[in-house]
Amino acid sequence: MRAGVPRETAPRETRVSLIPAGAATLRKAGLEVAVEAGAGEAAGFPDAAYAEQGASILPRGDVFRTSDILLQVRATPVAGPLKSGQTIIGFADPLGAPQASREVATTGASLLSMELMPRITRAQSMDALSSMATIAGYKGVLLAANALPRMFPMLMTAAGTVSAARVFIMGAGVAGLQAISAARRLGAKVEAYDVRPVVKEQVQSLGARFVELPLESSDAEDKGGYAKAQDESFYRRQRELMLKVIAANDVVITTALIPGKRAPILVTREMVEAMAPGSVVVDLAAERGGNCELTVPDEVVVHRGVTIIGPSNPPALVPYHASQMYSKNITTFLLHLLGKDGAQKPALALSTDDEITRETLLTHGGDVVHPRVRELLGQPA
Ligand SMILES: NC(=O)c1ccc[n+]([C@@H]2O[C@H](COP(=O)([O-])OP(=O)(O)OC[C@H]3O[C@@H](n4cnc5c(N)ncnc54)[C@H](O)[C@@H]3O)[C@@H](O)[C@H]2O)c1
């Protein structure tokens, strides 16, 4: 059984799905590993490092043609010919772009989505959304610090006192909590807010102040721990109450997401205009439409002296460690899926009795099999 690692082809994608250490892990489990020439280059992993771990370095066409399992960062849109019986694993944006799953289904290949990994203890080391959010939160703070005409720490020097930067984090999930830690480590004064009241203690334990708004949001969390979408009147009230908090900060970092939905607008033009010139907004939700009304993905917008930065793929700005973490997530997932055949060779057993397989499996046997994605495609249950 062979696992193949194609080079990623999406614009600005610098990550690779498997690093040399991951290739070694798969080899130990009895798999062959084929890596497209140059696949790890942008992330700092040369072909020779894969070859040293026993991987074959092949042209792209051969990786697609000869692999039983394809490991990708972005599994869709599919960037090569798939065939029946092949399995492809990666981010597939199943709720945002479900038609891509239908396209894979027509090839007969099985597609497993990293986004749909259940948030259960057993699957923690396979949770790529969390590992990528960790990187985004950290990098978001550095982008802000770099663009801010101030320093983050409070300093008392012979040349006078420098006050600490004030940083406001909106959305205190995995990315937001990591942003709080990174901003605190740089010495900023940090506040944070989230619709899910359960995060208050986590925010405080990282040394930040939790901003409370008198808003009803008891029903803010679904059973997977994700935020639920609220109605427009909630978002309007939230924006009204938020203006003052935002105006009092030098940096705003937004991370608010709702699975499968456009990111909610939390920072309006009016709020940006209420910020002091020189302030910075980093919008880590840019890929999903952005939390700031003025965000233009992958551009630096300066509006009345306020800089708005919206990287569409923040983990790709830290490709080495993003690939290392993703590689650990995807190899753990693959090893979980592998059983042994009669001859004690590794074999893929996609059994939907297993919760992790059931929740992540999008296509199998020529059909889209995931109930939520079938519903989005208007297919019968
Ligand atoms: N294995 C596990 O058990 C596991 C793994 C990872 C995460 N989790 C939990 O899931 C939570 C959410 O995960 P995530 O970071 O991937 O979420 P996410 O990326 O989907 O969203 C980021 C944050 O934005 C918040 N948000 C959404 N709408 C908002 C609004 N209008 N205003 C303010 N904030 C808003 C969400 O509540 C969330 O905290 C985590 O905090 C964690 O507790 C559990």
Side-chain angles (χ1 to χ4, degrees):
M1 174 153 294
R2 169 175 282 187
V5 179
R7 193 171 51 79
E8 296 295 319
T9 52
R12 291 185 202 83
E13 188 52 82
T14 54
R15 293 169 289 177
V16 61
S17 61
L18 189 77
I19 66 164
T25 306
L26 295 185
R27 295 273 299 144
K28 221 176 276 165
L31 288 157
E32 286 176 30
V33 177
V35 177
E36 180 182 346
E41 215 162 273
F45 301 101
D47 290 348
Y50 290 96
E52 234 167 73
Q53 301 303 334
S56 343
I57 310 299
L58 298 179
R60 181 173 192 78
D62 293 349
V63 172
F64 272 91
R65 198 172 42 76
T66 66
S67 298
D68 304 289
I69 305 155
L70 290 157
L71 304 177
Q72 294 248 247
V73 175
R74 291 175 192 268
T76 58
V78 177
L82 296 180
K83 55 186 184 204
S84 182
Q86 252 175 347
T87 296
I88 176 162
I89 310 178
F91 286 123
D93 197 11
L95 305 178
Q99 62 289 356
S101 298
R102 183 156 49 194
E103 279 156 31
V104 175
T106 59
T107 67
S110 301
L111 170 63
L112 293 127
S113 150
M114 293 301 278
E115 289 97 334
L116 296 178
M117 191 59 68
R119 288 191 149 176
I120 52 176
T121 310
R122 210 154 57 87
Q124 254 174 4
S125 51
M126 312 173 200
D127 181 358
L129 278 186
S130 287
S131 50
M132 296 305 105
T134 298
I135 296 197
Y138 160 83
K139 189 66 180 181
V141 170
L142 296 189
L143 291 172
N146 208 28
L148 193 71
R150 299 163 165 269
M151 291 197 284
F152 267 35
M154 196 267 271
L155 295 178
M156 290 204 273
T157 78
T161 299
V162 168
S163 59
R166 288 154 304 173
V167 175
F168 181 41
I169 314 283
M170 303 180 80
V174 179
L177 293 173
Q178 194 59 44
I180 294 173
S181 313
R184 290 277 302 148
R185 281 198 292 266
L186 285 177
K189 231 178 124 195
V190 184
E191 297 184 310
Y193 169 75
D194 199 293
V195 265
R196 296 179 302 118
V198 295
V199 300
K200 179 177 173 180
E201 270 177 37
Q202 297 166 29
V203 165
Q204 290 171 337
S205 72
L206 293 172
R209 193 176 83 83
F210 188 72
V211 171
E212 285 182 88
L213 300 181
L215 277 168
E216 232 6 275
S217 62
S218 53
D219 198 22
E221 187 168 297
D222 70 11
K223 64 175 173 24
Y226 286 109
K228 278 206 210 161
Q230 308 285 324
D231 61 16
E232 195 36 49
S233 74
F234 175 93
Y235 288 127
R236 198 180 54 245
R237 283 272 299 141
Q238 187 184 30
R239 289 195 288 262
E240 281 164 14
L241 294 164
M242 208 51 96
L243 186 93
K244 276 202 193 120
V245 182
I246 288 180
N249 277 280
D250 303 305
V251 169
V252 173
I253 298 175
T254 66
T255 74
L257 291 174
I258 309 287
K261 298 238 155 59
R262 191 209 178 281
I265 293 282
L266 306 181
V267 182
T268 58
R269 168 189 294 265
E270 191 190 2
M271 291 178 195
V272 171
E273 290 173 359
M275 295 180 83
S279 302
V280 178
V281 177
V282 173
D283 189 345
L284 294 178
E287 193 189 8
R288 301 237 77 108
N291 291 136
C292 175
E293 206 171 34
L294 301 179
T295 296
V296 180
D298 299 313
E299 282 183 27
V300 176
V301 175
V302 180
H303 181 78
R304 298 208 187 160
V306 178
T307 303
I308 301 139
I309 305 171
S312 64
N313 185 358
L317 302 173
V318 191
Y320 185 94
H321 279 138
S323 302
Q324 178 185 313
M325 292 170 88
Y326 188 82
S327 173
K328 174 71 183 174
N329 296 143
I330 203 167
T331 51
T332 311
F333 185 27
L334 177 54
L335 293 180
H336 170 80
L337 297 172
L338 283 179
K340 298 264 192 232
D341 68 6
Q344 289 302 296
K345 291 213 182 101
L348 255 196
L350 297 177
S351 160
T352 51
D353 294 339
D354 167 55
E355 182 182 1
I356 295 175
T357 310
R358 188 172 61 241
E359 296 281 325
T360 53
L361 189 62
L362 288 176
T363 73
H364 193 58
D367 278 320
V368 174
V369 295
H370 197 281
R372 262 167 89 194
V373 181
R374 285 189 69 86
E375 200 184 310
L376 287 173
L377 290 168
Q379 296 183 340

